[in-house]
Amino acid sequence: MKQILYTMVKVDKRQLLKRFPPIHENVFTHHSTIEWKPETLTVPLGKEVTLSILGRLTNDKVDVLLVNNPWSKNPYPHITLSTAKGVSPVESNRYLEQDFLKIREVQEKSVTGVITAEWIK
């Protein structure tokens, strides 16, 4: 069996971009990570799920949605919408922790996706 790079809830990028236009030049908007390099596969691949959107954090570095992803091993499950030039999407984790009180409520309350995996090639 090939090794898993990460598991995720993959969302429809085009639909999410319509609802949450990107703020920064690097656009991502395609998934909420469940686990990076899992030892074993413990999630139901192919399962369609709905994630609640808890809020949005936008600053000069990242634009990110905080979501309720019950499968995620991440302390702040999220979907990175976009980042500024030179800023990696992994930085969303740091800013969600650092600027937690700056997260703002959004009108859109959920997003659907499918549990899937990215495999190491």
Side-chain angles (χ1 to χ4, degrees):
M1 184 164 108
K2 291 198 280 185
Q3 189 177 5
I4 302 168
L5 182 60
Y6 67 100
T7 52
M8 70 185 122
V9 175
K10 188 172 186 175
V11 297
D12 184 325
K13 182 175 182 173
R14 286 180 289 147
Q15 286 293 334
L16 207 55
L17 285 172
K18 285 180 188 176
R19 295 165 58 191
F20 301 98
I23 303 296
H24 303 294
E25 63 183 274
N26 300 317
V27 179
F28 299 97
T29 317
H30 46 73
H31 76 275
S32 173
T33 300
I34 294 173
E35 186 174 12
W36 182 258
K37 293 190 176 178
E39 294 287 323
T40 60
L41 187 59
T42 60
V43 294
L45 294 182
K47 180 177 176 66
E48 187 171 309
V49 298
T50 300
L51 304 178
S52 299
I53 299 172
L54 305 175
R56 183 176 187 173
L57 173 67
T58 302
N59 62 26
D60 63 337
K61 303 289 184 194
V62 299
D63 183 23
V64 59
L65 295 175
L66 181 65
V67 298
N68 180 11
N69 179 350
W71 297 275
S72 182
K73 306 289 186 194
N74 194 325
Y76 299 98
H78 64 277
I79 299 170
T80 300
L81 299 173
S82 64
T83 65
K85 184 176 182 176
V87 178
S88 169
V90 75
E91 290 294 307
S92 295
N93 292 301
R94 178 167 64 102
Y95 288 107
L96 281 167
E97 183 174 357
Q98 172 183 307
D99 296 338
F100 193 80
L101 296 177
K102 295 179 182 176
I103 295 170
R104 299 291 172 241
E105 188 176 350
V106 295
Q107 295 299 313
E108 302 282 343
K109 297 297 184 186
S110 65
V111 60
T112 58
V114 176
I115 295 177
T116 189
E118 182 75 21
W119 306 89
I120 295 176
K121 296 179 173 118

